[in-house]
Amino acid sequence: MPIPLPAPTVRLLEKVAKEISASAYAPYSGFRVGSAVLGASGKIYAGCNVENASYSLCHCAERTAIVSAVAAGERKFQAVVVYTPTPAPTAPCGACRQVIHEFAPDAIILSVCDSAARLETTLPALLTHAFGPKDLKAQPTASKAPGKR
Ligand code: THU
């Protein structure tokens, strides 16, 4: 179970996530998303979605925030907050769940929106039987049988 965070920290994360959504580059979807992640160090990193004319190259806000944090030297996270401009909260997409699993498997995941509704959950609840670093440490069966593919 994730460690509960102090209310002022959660409020700050929500504020940062909402504010950074103004920087979203979302000319195709018009869906401006913001994310704030709380590193193990206590620092907060923000990210927005960044779309591309080649649609499949869009970056989600959560991944932008996590990748920025990793580039700054942070590799463990206490919380991932996502803001969407919707009446109901939106959970991270599947790709983001996988990236959250890599760096923040124990983090609180909080989705906030334009109403008071919120969704607080955990990664195991969102991504069961996740594939991760531990699976690559297991010896691949194929390599135990040289000559066979
Ligand atoms: N998006 C996010 O930034 N985070 C999510 O968890 C879901 C979707 C973005 C990607 C794309 O730019 C737009 O929202 C519409 O899917």
Side-chain angles (χ1 to χ4, degrees):
M1 282 298 286
I3 301 159
L5 296 172
T9 305
V10 175
R11 278 198 295 275
L12 179 59
L13 285 161
E14 290 177 18
K15 184 170 177 280
V16 170
K18 186 168 182 176
E19 281 178 1
I20 196 70
S21 72
S23 299
Y25 176 71
Y28 308 108
S29 72
F31 197 65
R32 302 164 76 85
V33 186
S35 178
V37 296
L38 178 65
S41 69
K43 284 190 193 162
I44 292 174
Y45 304 84
C48 58
N49 53 330
V50 181
E51 299 185 346
N52 192 280
S54 178
Y55 295 168
S56 63
L57 298 182
C58 290
H59 296 262
C60 287
E62 300 92 312
R63 280 181 280 149
T64 306
I66 291 172
V67 168
S68 301
V70 172
E74 194 94 58
R75 290 198 176 170
K76 288 190 175 154
F77 299 93
Q78 306 180 60
V80 176
V81 176
V82 57
Y83 160 81
T84 52
T86 50
T90 305
C93 80
C96 289
R97 293 176 196 196
Q98 183 67 35
V99 172
I100 293 169
H101 180 258
E102 188 78 20
F103 295 107
D106 304 318
I108 287 170
I109 300 174
L110 176 63
S111 298
V112 295
C113 60
D114 284 335
S115 74
R118 42 208 287 124
L119 172 69
E120 186 175 326
T121 186
T122 62
L123 209 265
L126 294 176
L127 190 67
T128 52
H129 303 290
F131 177 84
K134 69 175 182 344
D135 298 299
L136 292 177
K137 288 195 182 112
Q139 176 101 10
T141 314
S143 69
K144 289 179 186 159
K148 290 186 180 172
R149 284 173 191 255

